[in-house]
Amino acid sequence: MTFELFNRTFFIATDVLLAYIALIGTGLGVLYLVNRANKWSVIKDYVTTTHHRKIGVLYLLSATLFFLRAGIEALIIRTQLAVPENDFWVFQGDKFNEAFTTHGTIMIFFVAMPLLIGLMNVAVPLQIGAQDMAFPYMNALSFWLFLAGAILVNMSFFMTASPNAGWTAYAPLSTAEFTPEAGNDYYIFGLQVSGVGTILAAINMIVTIVRHRAPGMKMTRMPLFAWSTLVTAFLILIAFPVLTIALYILMFDRLFGTSFFSGEAGSPIYWQHLFWIFGHPEVYIIVIPAFGIFSDVISTFSKKRVFGYTSMVVAIVIIGLLGFMVWVHHMFTVGLGPVVNTVFAITTMLIAVPTGIKIFNWLFTMRKGVIHLGTPMLFAAGFIPTFVIGGVTGVMLAVAAADFQFHDTYFVVAHFHYTMVGGTVLGAFAGIYYWFPKMFGFKLKDGLGKAHFWLFLIGFHITFFPQHFAGLNGMPRRVYTYTAEDNIFIFNFISTIGAFMMGIGTLFFVWNIYKSFKNPDRCGNDPWNGRTLEWSVPSPAPEHPFDPMPQVTTIDPLWEAKRNRGGKLPVANTSRSAPIDVTSWQPVGFSGLIMLFSLSFIYHVTWLQIVLGIMVLAFFALRTLTDEHTKMAREGEDHDNI
């Protein structure tokens, strides 16, 4: 679309124009509703909070909004591919490249990650008997850095500079020689900023679990979601710095003319190694927490202790370790040789063993259990066959010779979504329905939840199962059109129908949240007849929920207390010191500063880089001189004097 203004001709794509209209309209509508309901104090409370439950809610809210945004792109992609030689709207050529790039980037980094980190924030401290995260201030900073990075990546669309090199940003396509526009700079800086927040969150999780467990809560008594969180945090701590290094080097190639990934001295294969050394552990970073969620949900809704607790813990640890030994299966076709391919094919197949152990343990947990098919349990039950299909196709892709046929086809797209959506997204939905009472004090509507489940799950299989056959028929990924003679029309058409079913199911989820807030079904501390410590504290969970501190003597402490002590947990003689919760504008202010600092590099404004760099250093000095302990002590003295 072109228009004249001040004797100059301007061009703006109609999709960007419509997005601006939608964003401004939605923003004004939200401002009106917040002002009418006088909720500014609530917003201030959440923006300045350092409390783990509220931080978790912020992660989940952000992830839900980004899920809707990336989901719209998925529907656009499927609409473009619904029929042969289609010309839907403007989504051909580079626009299609931008659509699948931002869809993948947002879903992996700004949907899957925050959904699970949000649930970790909400549940893990309560499960282990901690009063809060070990470092509440750093917890808030982690979230706001994540959001700053997410905003950078999403901002690129409105600046008509979306990333367009795929979510993997393969060199040399992602270098300035082939994509000189700012889009891939947004990708680099957005992921760097959000990645720092994720690393800080991982450190916080590790310290919280290691140092802030309730008395008697041995490592061998922790819930499996806490165990999966601990393993995931270590994976983040090892894998994300590799991504940071890769992005940093790519930034130098793009901004300062180095040649790490191109030219005689460099090689695009270096990028693939660095990216997938991060990328495959990332798959387990966003699947292992879902395993923990399913373990807790299946145990609770089967009214049985999880079968083979020790083997489940060992399986989680082995999956985490093997996750760093399989990255080359993404690179079987680049020419590393038969010996290398064989070694990594074997390690890839080995990872199916601990995963199979977990599948059988979940089934044995349900066997002879008193199963209640609430909405969280439905998502857990739907996950098992879905993930098994993804695992079987994963073993097929691990055969190096076969991978030469499967590579870069829609067979890989189908496999990837069966593991990511079938594992991560179904797990996140199960966790949201399960722990929603701990966040807000009421449950989501069960009827709407079941409608959401069936529409989403059936739509998922209709969408992605046919894509296996499209891939086997030779349909390459990342193409925006095909011909009738390719004999893949029927697979794409069915897939598009399924995608819209998933979209309708997601709308049921959003409507469920609205209706539940409008007419809440208040529930007590323990609406699911739970087994672990989080169900012993009030709903929603208050600050410093454990008073008095419980003494843990078994794996399922609340369940054992119900059986033997009338539901009363034994009280500990000692308790650990509680972290200091504060309210502060500093985390959101610093994250905004980092976002502006990144923009100054994206658009090469040197004087602004210097000014903002000095301001960032000044913030570090300010934070170094801030002592919450002294502040809290003074407030306590003032209170005593009153």
Side-chain angles (χ1 to χ4, degrees), residues 1 3 11-29 69 89 95 154-162 186 603:
M1 176 181 176
F3 59 94
F11 172 81
I12 184 169
T14 53
D15 60 322
V16 178
L17 179 62
L18 184 61
Y20 267 113
I21 294 170
L23 180 66
I24 294 169
T26 303
L28 291 174
R69 182 253 197 266
W89 202 358
K95 272 290 182 182
N154 282 274
M155 181 190 297
S156 64
F157 175 77
F158 293 95
M159 305 299 287
T160 63
S162 290
Y186 276 104
Y603 289 105

PDB file of all heavy atoms in Angstrom, residues 1 3 11-29 69 89 95 154-162 186 603:
ATOM      1  N   MET A   1       0.852  -1.187   0.000  1.00  0.00           N
ATOM      2  CA  MET A   1       0.000   0.000   0.000  1.00  0.00           C
ATOM      3  C   MET A   1       0.893   1.245   0.000  1.00  0.00           C
ATOM      4  O   MET A   1       1.806   1.356   0.819  1.00  0.00           O
ATOM      5  CB  MET A   1      -0.899   0.008   1.247  1.00  0.00           C
ATOM      6  CG  MET A   1      -1.751   1.254   1.393  1.00  0.00           C
ATOM      7  SD  MET A   1      -2.768   1.199   2.894  1.00  0.00           S
ATOM      8  CE  MET A   1      -3.511   2.821   2.811  1.00  0.00           C
ATOM      9  N   PHE A   3       1.091   5.659  -0.152  1.00  0.00           N
ATOM     10  CA  PHE A   3       0.322   6.873   0.099  1.00  0.00           C
ATOM     11  C   PHE A   3       1.273   8.065   0.055  1.00  0.00           C
ATOM     12  O   PHE A   3       2.483   7.936   0.251  1.00  0.00           O
ATOM     13  CB  PHE A   3      -0.414   6.806   1.440  1.00  0.00           C
ATOM     14  CG  PHE A   3       0.473   6.614   2.635  1.00  0.00           C
ATOM     15  CD1 PHE A   3       0.938   7.703   3.364  1.00  0.00           C
ATOM     16  CD2 PHE A   3       0.855   5.335   3.043  1.00  0.00           C
ATOM     17  CE1 PHE A   3       1.758   7.529   4.455  1.00  0.00           C
ATOM     18  CE2 PHE A   3       1.674   5.143   4.135  1.00  0.00           C
ATOM     19  CZ  PHE A   3       2.132   6.250   4.854  1.00  0.00           C
ATOM     20  N   PHE A  11       5.501   3.653   1.467  1.00  0.00           N
ATOM     21  CA  PHE A  11       4.950   2.314   1.240  1.00  0.00           C
ATOM     22  C   PHE A  11       4.876   1.568   2.559  1.00  0.00           C
ATOM     23  O   PHE A  11       5.820   1.583   3.347  1.00  0.00           O
ATOM     24  CB  PHE A  11       5.821   1.516   0.260  1.00  0.00           C
ATOM     25  CG  PHE A  11       5.405   0.073   0.142  1.00  0.00           C
ATOM     26  CD1 PHE A  11       4.337  -0.286  -0.667  1.00  0.00           C
ATOM     27  CD2 PHE A  11       6.058  -0.923   0.865  1.00  0.00           C
ATOM     28  CE1 PHE A  11       3.938  -1.607  -0.767  1.00  0.00           C
ATOM     29  CE2 PHE A  11       5.664  -2.256   0.769  1.00  0.00           C
ATOM     30  CZ  PHE A  11       4.600  -2.593  -0.045  1.00  0.00           C
ATOM     31  N   ILE A  12       3.749   0.913   2.797  1.00  0.00           N
ATOM     32  CA  ILE A  12       3.607   0.047   3.961  1.00  0.00           C
ATOM     33  C   ILE A  12       2.793  -1.170   3.533  1.00  0.00           C
ATOM     34  O   ILE A  12       1.763  -1.039   2.854  1.00  0.00           O
ATOM     35  CB  ILE A  12       2.940   0.779   5.152  1.00  0.00           C
ATOM     36  CG1 ILE A  12       2.901  -0.144   6.384  1.00  0.00           C
ATOM     37  CG2 ILE A  12       1.548   1.280   4.800  1.00  0.00           C
ATOM     38  CD1 ILE A  12       2.503   0.577   7.661  1.00  0.00           C
ATOM     39  N   ALA A  13       3.280  -2.349   3.894  1.00  0.00           N
ATOM     40  CA  ALA A  13       2.570  -3.577   3.539  1.00  0.00           C
ATOM     41  C   ALA A  13       1.236  -3.624   4.276  1.00  0.00           C
ATOM     42  O   ALA A  13       1.120  -3.174   5.425  1.00  0.00           O
ATOM     43  CB  ALA A  13       3.423  -4.789   3.899  1.00  0.00           C
ATOM     44  N   THR A  14       0.230  -4.180   3.616  1.00  0.00           N
ATOM     45  CA  THR A  14      -1.109  -4.177   4.215  1.00  0.00           C
ATOM     46  C   THR A  14      -1.171  -5.018   5.485  1.00  0.00           C
ATOM     47  O   THR A  14      -1.952  -4.712   6.391  1.00  0.00           O
ATOM     48  CB  THR A  14      -2.142  -4.697   3.204  1.00  0.00           C
ATOM     49  OG1 THR A  14      -1.722  -5.974   2.697  1.00  0.00           O
ATOM     50  CG2 THR A  14      -2.297  -3.724   2.040  1.00  0.00           C
ATOM     51  N   ASP A  15      -0.346  -6.077   5.576  1.00  0.00           N
ATOM     52  CA  ASP A  15      -0.356  -6.873   6.809  1.00  0.00           C
ATOM     53  C   ASP A  15       0.189  -6.075   7.984  1.00  0.00           C
ATOM     54  O   ASP A  15      -0.326  -6.155   9.105  1.00  0.00           O
ATOM     55  CB  ASP A  15       0.425  -8.172   6.618  1.00  0.00           C
ATOM     56  CG  ASP A  15       1.881  -7.918   6.248  1.00  0.00           C
ATOM     57  OD1 ASP A  15       2.141  -6.967   5.487  1.00  0.00           O
ATOM     58  OD2 ASP A  15       2.756  -8.679   6.720  1.00  0.00           O
ATOM     59  N   VAL A  16       1.228  -5.262   7.733  1.00  0.00           N
ATOM     60  CA  VAL A  16       1.788  -4.422   8.792  1.00  0.00           C
ATOM     61  C   VAL A  16       0.790  -3.334   9.181  1.00  0.00           C
ATOM     62  O   VAL A  16       0.598  -3.033  10.373  1.00  0.00           O
ATOM     63  CB  VAL A  16       3.122  -3.792   8.340  1.00  0.00           C
ATOM     64  CG1 VAL A  16       3.686  -2.874   9.415  1.00  0.00           C
ATOM     65  CG2 VAL A  16       4.125  -4.888   7.996  1.00  0.00           C
ATOM     66  N   LEU A  17       0.129  -2.743   8.192  1.00  0.00           N
ATOM     67  CA  LEU A  17      -0.872  -1.716   8.470  1.00  0.00           C
ATOM     68  C   LEU A  17      -2.003  -2.277   9.331  1.00  0.00           C
ATOM     69  O   LEU A  17      -2.417  -1.659  10.324  1.00  0.00           O
ATOM     70  CB  LEU A  17      -1.428  -1.168   7.155  1.00  0.00           C
ATOM     71  CG  LEU A  17      -2.526  -0.093   7.274  1.00  0.00           C
ATOM     72  CD1 LEU A  17      -1.989   1.148   7.980  1.00  0.00           C
ATOM     73  CD2 LEU A  17      -3.080   0.259   5.894  1.00  0.00           C
ATOM     74  N   LEU A  18      -2.495  -3.457   8.965  1.00  0.00           N
ATOM     75  CA  LEU A  18      -3.561  -4.075   9.747  1.00  0.00           C
ATOM     76  C   LEU A  18      -3.089  -4.391  11.167  1.00  0.00           C
ATOM     77  O   LEU A  18      -3.835  -4.227  12.135  1.00  0.00           O
ATOM     78  CB  LEU A  18      -4.037  -5.355   9.057  1.00  0.00           C
ATOM     79  CG  LEU A  18      -5.223  -6.069   9.719  1.00  0.00           C
ATOM     80  CD1 LEU A  18      -6.459  -5.176   9.747  1.00  0.00           C
ATOM     81  CD2 LEU A  18      -5.538  -7.376   8.991  1.00  0.00           C
ATOM     82  N   ALA A  19      -1.822  -4.809  11.300  1.00  0.00           N
ATOM     83  CA  ALA A  19      -1.280  -5.110  12.627  1.00  0.00           C
ATOM     84  C   ALA A  19      -1.211  -3.845  13.487  1.00  0.00           C
ATOM     85  O   ALA A  19      -1.507  -3.880  14.690  1.00  0.00           O
ATOM     86  CB  ALA A  19       0.095  -5.744  12.502  1.00  0.00           C
ATOM     87  N   TYR A  20      -0.806  -2.731  12.871  1.00  0.00           N
ATOM     88  CA  TYR A  20      -0.787  -1.461  13.607  1.00  0.00           C
ATOM     89  C   TYR A  20      -2.191  -1.103  14.094  1.00  0.00           C
ATOM     90  O   TYR A  20      -2.388  -0.706  15.259  1.00  0.00           O
ATOM     91  CB  TYR A  20      -0.250  -0.332  12.717  1.00  0.00           C
ATOM     92  CG  TYR A  20       1.236  -0.091  12.835  1.00  0.00           C
ATOM     93  CD1 TYR A  20       2.085  -0.364  11.777  1.00  0.00           C
ATOM     94  CD2 TYR A  20       1.780   0.426  14.006  1.00  0.00           C
ATOM     95  CE1 TYR A  20       3.461  -0.135  11.877  1.00  0.00           C
ATOM     96  CE2 TYR A  20       3.141   0.666  14.119  1.00  0.00           C
ATOM     97  CZ  TYR A  20       3.978   0.379  13.053  1.00  0.00           C
ATOM     98  OH  TYR A  20       5.324   0.611  13.166  1.00  0.00           O
ATOM     99  N   ILE A  21      -3.166  -1.220  13.215  1.00  0.00           N
ATOM    100  CA  ILE A  21      -4.550  -0.892  13.589  1.00  0.00           C
ATOM    101  C   ILE A  21      -5.019  -1.792  14.732  1.00  0.00           C
ATOM    102  O   ILE A  21      -5.620  -1.330  15.716  1.00  0.00           O
ATOM    103  CB  ILE A  21      -5.478  -1.025  12.368  1.00  0.00           C
ATOM    104  CG1 ILE A  21      -5.120   0.028  11.312  1.00  0.00           C
ATOM    105  CG2 ILE A  21      -6.941  -0.900  12.774  1.00  0.00           C
ATOM    106  CD1 ILE A  21      -5.811  -0.180   9.975  1.00  0.00           C
ATOM    107  N   ALA A  22      -4.724  -3.104  14.618  1.00  0.00           N
ATOM    108  CA  ALA A  22      -5.140  -4.051  15.658  1.00  0.00           C
ATOM    109  C   ALA A  22      -4.443  -3.752  16.980  1.00  0.00           C
ATOM    110  O   ALA A  22      -5.057  -3.793  18.051  1.00  0.00           O
ATOM    111  CB  ALA A  22      -4.847  -5.476  15.214  1.00  0.00           C
ATOM    112  N   LEU A  23      -3.135  -3.435  16.914  1.00  0.00           N
ATOM    113  CA  LEU A  23      -2.375  -3.164  18.138  1.00  0.00           C
ATOM    114  C   LEU A  23      -2.883  -1.905  18.830  1.00  0.00           C
ATOM    115  O   LEU A  23      -3.105  -1.900  20.053  1.00  0.00           O
ATOM    116  CB  LEU A  23      -0.891  -3.015  17.802  1.00  0.00           C
ATOM    117  CG  LEU A  23       0.040  -2.737  18.978  1.00  0.00           C
ATOM    118  CD1 LEU A  23       0.084  -3.930  19.924  1.00  0.00           C
ATOM    119  CD2 LEU A  23       1.458  -2.399  18.492  1.00  0.00           C
ATOM    120  N   ILE A  24      -3.081  -0.841  18.054  1.00  0.00           N
ATOM    121  CA  ILE A  24      -3.550   0.413  18.644  1.00  0.00           C
ATOM    122  C   ILE A  24      -4.958   0.239  19.205  1.00  0.00           C
ATOM    123  O   ILE A  24      -5.262   0.672  20.326  1.00  0.00           O
ATOM    124  CB  ILE A  24      -3.506   1.547  17.602  1.00  0.00           C
ATOM    125  CG1 ILE A  24      -2.052   1.849  17.221  1.00  0.00           C
ATOM    126  CG2 ILE A  24      -4.188   2.806  18.135  1.00  0.00           C
ATOM    127  CD1 ILE A  24      -1.903   2.763  16.025  1.00  0.00           C
ATOM    128  N   GLY A  25      -5.825  -0.429  18.439  1.00  0.00           N
ATOM    129  CA  GLY A  25      -7.194  -0.652  18.913  1.00  0.00           C
ATOM    130  C   GLY A  25      -7.236  -1.495  20.176  1.00  0.00           C
ATOM    131  O   GLY A  25      -7.958  -1.165  21.141  1.00  0.00           O
ATOM    132  N   THR A  26      -6.450  -2.567  20.186  1.00  0.00           N
ATOM    133  CA  THR A  26      -6.415  -3.429  21.380  1.00  0.00           C
ATOM    134  C   THR A  26      -5.835  -2.683  22.570  1.00  0.00           C
ATOM    135  O   THR A  26      -6.350  -2.781  23.696  1.00  0.00           O
ATOM    136  CB  THR A  26      -5.576  -4.692  21.098  1.00  0.00           C
ATOM    137  OG1 THR A  26      -6.118  -5.369  19.966  1.00  0.00           O
ATOM    138  CG2 THR A  26      -5.574  -5.617  22.295  1.00  0.00           C
ATOM    139  N   GLY A  27      -4.769  -1.911  22.329  1.00  0.00           N
ATOM    140  CA  GLY A  27      -4.161  -1.145  23.414  1.00  0.00           C
ATOM    141  C   GLY A  27      -5.119  -0.142  24.025  1.00  0.00           C
ATOM    142  O   GLY A  27      -5.224  -0.031  25.253  1.00  0.00           O
ATOM    143  N   LEU A  28      -5.830   0.581  23.172  1.00  0.00           N
ATOM    144  CA  LEU A  28      -6.806   1.553  23.684  1.00  0.00           C
ATOM    145  C   LEU A  28      -7.930   0.853  24.441  1.00  0.00           C
ATOM    146  O   LEU A  28      -8.390   1.336  25.484  1.00  0.00           O
ATOM    147  CB  LEU A  28      -7.373   2.374  22.525  1.00  0.00           C
ATOM    148  CG  LEU A  28      -6.394   3.346  21.840  1.00  0.00           C
ATOM    149  CD1 LEU A  28      -7.036   3.981  20.611  1.00  0.00           C
ATOM    150  CD2 LEU A  28      -5.934   4.425  22.819  1.00  0.00           C
ATOM    151  N   GLY A  29      -8.361  -0.299  23.927  1.00  0.00           N
ATOM    152  CA  GLY A  29      -9.408  -1.048  24.612  1.00  0.00           C
ATOM    153  C   GLY A  29      -8.968  -1.522  25.990  1.00  0.00           C
ATOM    154  O   GLY A  29      -9.720  -1.428  26.972  1.00  0.00           O
ATOM    155  N   ARG A  69      -0.158 -14.681  18.972  1.00  0.00           N
ATOM    156  CA  ARG A  69       0.487 -13.971  17.867  1.00  0.00           C
ATOM    157  C   ARG A  69       1.153 -14.958  16.900  1.00  0.00           C
ATOM    158  O   ARG A  69       0.962 -14.894  15.684  1.00  0.00           O
ATOM    159  CB  ARG A  69       1.531 -13.000  18.434  1.00  0.00           C
ATOM    160  CG  ARG A  69       2.258 -12.153  17.368  1.00  0.00           C
ATOM    161  CD  ARG A  69       3.677 -12.646  17.207  1.00  0.00           C
ATOM    162  NE  ARG A  69       4.529 -11.684  16.536  1.00  0.00           N
ATOM    163  CZ  ARG A  69       4.779 -11.655  15.237  1.00  0.00           C
ATOM    164  NH1 ARG A  69       4.179 -12.523  14.447  1.00  0.00           N
ATOM    165  NH2 ARG A  69       5.608 -10.784  14.712  1.00  0.00           N
ATOM    166  N   TRP A  89      -3.170 -13.223   0.151  1.00  0.00           N
ATOM    167  CA  TRP A  89      -2.782 -11.913   0.665  1.00  0.00           C
ATOM    168  C   TRP A  89      -1.393 -11.547   0.153  1.00  0.00           C
ATOM    169  O   TRP A  89      -1.186 -11.470  -1.050  1.00  0.00           O
ATOM    170  CB  TRP A  89      -2.871 -11.923   2.187  1.00  0.00           C
ATOM    171  CG  TRP A  89      -3.021 -10.567   2.827  1.00  0.00           C
ATOM    172  CD1 TRP A  89      -3.042  -9.351   2.217  1.00  0.00           C
ATOM    173  CD2 TRP A  89      -3.163 -10.312   4.228  1.00  0.00           C
ATOM    174  NE1 TRP A  89      -3.202  -8.351   3.145  1.00  0.00           N
ATOM    175  CE2 TRP A  89      -3.267  -8.906   4.384  1.00  0.00           C
ATOM    176  CE3 TRP A  89      -3.211 -11.124   5.349  1.00  0.00           C
ATOM    177  CZ2 TRP A  89      -3.429  -8.312   5.643  1.00  0.00           C
ATOM    178  CZ3 TRP A  89      -3.370 -10.519   6.596  1.00  0.00           C
ATOM    179  CH2 TRP A  89      -3.477  -9.128   6.737  1.00  0.00           C
ATOM    180  N   LYS A  95       7.945 -12.559   2.282  1.00  0.00           N
ATOM    181  CA  LYS A  95       6.937 -12.436   3.346  1.00  0.00           C
ATOM    182  C   LYS A  95       6.662 -13.789   3.990  1.00  0.00           C
ATOM    183  O   LYS A  95       6.457 -13.890   5.202  1.00  0.00           O
ATOM    184  CB  LYS A  95       5.639 -11.842   2.783  1.00  0.00           C
ATOM    185  CG  LYS A  95       5.580 -10.331   2.795  1.00  0.00           C
ATOM    186  CD  LYS A  95       5.458  -9.804   4.217  1.00  0.00           C
ATOM    187  CE  LYS A  95       5.355  -8.288   4.233  1.00  0.00           C
ATOM    188  NZ  LYS A  95       5.290  -7.757   5.611  1.00  0.00           N
ATOM    189  N   ASN A 154       9.525  -9.058  18.302  1.00  0.00           N
ATOM    190  CA  ASN A 154       8.197  -8.740  17.781  1.00  0.00           C
ATOM    191  C   ASN A 154       8.130  -7.335  17.193  1.00  0.00           C
ATOM    192  O   ASN A 154       7.362  -7.082  16.265  1.00  0.00           O
ATOM    193  CB  ASN A 154       7.157  -8.895  18.896  1.00  0.00           C
ATOM    194  CG  ASN A 154       6.794 -10.340  19.163  1.00  0.00           C
ATOM    195  OD1 ASN A 154       5.922 -10.910  18.532  1.00  0.00           O
ATOM    196  ND2 ASN A 154       7.500 -10.954  20.106  1.00  0.00           N
ATOM    197  N   MET A 155       8.942  -6.428  17.725  1.00  0.00           N
ATOM    198  CA  MET A 155       8.979  -5.065  17.204  1.00  0.00           C
ATOM    199  C   MET A 155       9.430  -5.039  15.748  1.00  0.00           C
ATOM    200  O   MET A 155       9.029  -4.159  14.969  1.00  0.00           O
ATOM    201  CB  MET A 155       9.932  -4.227  18.070  1.00  0.00           C
ATOM    202  CG  MET A 155      10.052  -2.765  17.655  1.00  0.00           C
ATOM    203  SD  MET A 155      11.405  -1.940  18.547  1.00  0.00           S
ATOM    204  CE  MET A 155      10.830  -2.060  20.230  1.00  0.00           C
ATOM    205  N   SER A 156      10.265  -5.993  15.372  1.00  0.00           N
ATOM    206  CA  SER A 156      10.818  -5.994  14.018  1.00  0.00           C
ATOM    207  C   SER A 156       9.725  -6.007  12.960  1.00  0.00           C
ATOM    208  O   SER A 156       9.867  -5.390  11.899  1.00  0.00           O
ATOM    209  CB  SER A 156      11.734  -7.216  13.840  1.00  0.00           C
ATOM    210  OG  SER A 156      10.985  -8.424  13.962  1.00  0.00           O
ATOM    211  N   PHE A 157       8.612  -6.698  13.250  1.00  0.00           N
ATOM    212  CA  PHE A 157       7.515  -6.758  12.282  1.00  0.00           C
ATOM    213  C   PHE A 157       6.934  -5.371  12.035  1.00  0.00           C
ATOM    214  O   PHE A 157       6.661  -4.985  10.885  1.00  0.00           O
ATOM    215  CB  PHE A 157       6.432  -7.701  12.800  1.00  0.00           C
ATOM    216  CG  PHE A 157       5.192  -7.752  11.945  1.00  0.00           C
ATOM    217  CD1 PHE A 157       5.174  -8.471  10.763  1.00  0.00           C
ATOM    218  CD2 PHE A 157       4.047  -7.063  12.317  1.00  0.00           C
ATOM    219  CE1 PHE A 157       4.041  -8.506   9.972  1.00  0.00           C
ATOM    220  CE2 PHE A 157       2.904  -7.093  11.536  1.00  0.00           C
ATOM    221  CZ  PHE A 157       2.902  -7.817  10.359  1.00  0.00           C
ATOM    222  N   PHE A 158       6.757  -4.611  13.109  1.00  0.00           N
ATOM    223  CA  PHE A 158       6.167  -3.274  12.970  1.00  0.00           C
ATOM    224  C   PHE A 158       7.144  -2.282  12.346  1.00  0.00           C
ATOM    225  O   PHE A 158       6.727  -1.236  11.851  1.00  0.00           O
ATOM    226  CB  PHE A 158       5.706  -2.770  14.340  1.00  0.00           C
ATOM    227  CG  PHE A 158       4.562  -3.567  14.900  1.00  0.00           C
ATOM    228  CD1 PHE A 158       4.790  -4.620  15.775  1.00  0.00           C
ATOM    229  CD2 PHE A 158       3.251  -3.287  14.541  1.00  0.00           C
ATOM    230  CE1 PHE A 158       3.739  -5.362  16.282  1.00  0.00           C
ATOM    231  CE2 PHE A 158       2.197  -4.022  15.042  1.00  0.00           C
ATOM    232  CZ  PHE A 158       2.441  -5.073  15.914  1.00  0.00           C
ATOM    233  N   MET A 159       8.431  -2.613  12.374  1.00  0.00           N
ATOM    234  CA  MET A 159       9.434  -1.774  11.719  1.00  0.00           C
ATOM    235  C   MET A 159       9.714  -2.264  10.296  1.00  0.00           C
ATOM    236  O   MET A 159      10.708  -1.850   9.685  1.00  0.00           O
ATOM    237  CB  MET A 159      10.732  -1.779  12.537  1.00  0.00           C
ATOM    238  CG  MET A 159      10.560  -1.369  13.986  1.00  0.00           C
ATOM    239  SD  MET A 159       9.917   0.306  14.186  1.00  0.00           S
ATOM    240  CE  MET A 159      11.362   1.255  13.738  1.00  0.00           C
ATOM    241  N   THR A 160       8.818  -3.142   9.789  1.00  0.00           N
ATOM    242  CA  THR A 160       8.960  -3.760   8.452  1.00  0.00           C
ATOM    243  C   THR A 160      10.359  -4.349   8.261  1.00  0.00           C
ATOM    244  O   THR A 160      10.983  -4.186   7.212  1.00  0.00           O
ATOM    245  CB  THR A 160       8.639  -2.755   7.323  1.00  0.00           C
ATOM    246  OG1 THR A 160       9.582  -1.684   7.369  1.00  0.00           O
ATOM    247  CG2 THR A 160       7.236  -2.208   7.452  1.00  0.00           C
ATOM    248  N   ALA A 161      10.847  -5.014   9.309  1.00  0.00           N
ATOM    249  CA  ALA A 161      12.189  -5.613   9.248  1.00  0.00           C
ATOM    250  C   ALA A 161      12.191  -6.930  10.006  1.00  0.00           C
ATOM    251  O   ALA A 161      13.015  -7.154  10.891  1.00  0.00           O
ATOM    252  CB  ALA A 161      13.223  -4.653   9.834  1.00  0.00           C
ATOM    253  N   SER A 162      11.267  -7.818   9.653  1.00  0.00           N
ATOM    254  CA  SER A 162      11.194  -9.102  10.348  1.00  0.00           C
ATOM    255  C   SER A 162      12.388  -9.984   9.980  1.00  0.00           C
ATOM    256  O   SER A 162      12.875  -9.935   8.853  1.00  0.00           O
ATOM    257  CB  SER A 162       9.897  -9.831   9.975  1.00  0.00           C
ATOM    258  OG  SER A 162       8.778  -9.187  10.531  1.00  0.00           O
ATOM    259  N   TYR A 186      17.563  -7.796  14.705  1.00  0.00           N
ATOM    260  CA  TYR A 186      16.537  -7.906  15.752  1.00  0.00           C
ATOM    261  C   TYR A 186      16.556  -9.311  16.362  1.00  0.00           C
ATOM    262  O   TYR A 186      16.438  -9.474  17.586  1.00  0.00           O
ATOM    263  CB  TYR A 186      15.154  -7.621  15.171  1.00  0.00           C
ATOM    264  CG  TYR A 186      14.786  -6.163  15.095  1.00  0.00           C
ATOM    265  CD1 TYR A 186      14.819  -5.468  13.886  1.00  0.00           C
ATOM    266  CD2 TYR A 186      14.365  -5.478  16.223  1.00  0.00           C
ATOM    267  CE1 TYR A 186      14.462  -4.137  13.805  1.00  0.00           C
ATOM    268  CE2 TYR A 186      14.010  -4.139  16.165  1.00  0.00           C
ATOM    269  CZ  TYR A 186      14.057  -3.470  14.950  1.00  0.00           C
ATOM    270  OH  TYR A 186      13.701  -2.155  14.884  1.00  0.00           O
ATOM    271  N   TYR A 603      20.482  -0.131  14.691  1.00  0.00           N
ATOM    272  CA  TYR A 603      20.406   0.962  13.718  1.00  0.00           C
ATOM    273  C   TYR A 603      21.687   1.798  13.681  1.00  0.00           C
ATOM    274  O   TYR A 603      21.700   2.893  13.122  1.00  0.00           O
ATOM    275  CB  TYR A 603      19.181   1.828  14.000  1.00  0.00           C
ATOM    276  CG  TYR A 603      17.901   1.098  13.637  1.00  0.00           C
ATOM    277  CD1 TYR A 603      17.069   0.574  14.619  1.00  0.00           C
ATOM    278  CD2 TYR A 603      17.553   0.896  12.311  1.00  0.00           C
ATOM    279  CE1 TYR A 603      15.898  -0.114  14.282  1.00  0.00           C
ATOM    280  CE2 TYR A 603      16.400   0.211  11.964  1.00  0.00           C
ATOM    281  CZ  TYR A 603      15.583  -0.290  12.954  1.00  0.00           C
ATOM    282  OH  TYR A 603      14.438  -0.983  12.607  1.00  0.00           O
TER     283      TYR A 603
END
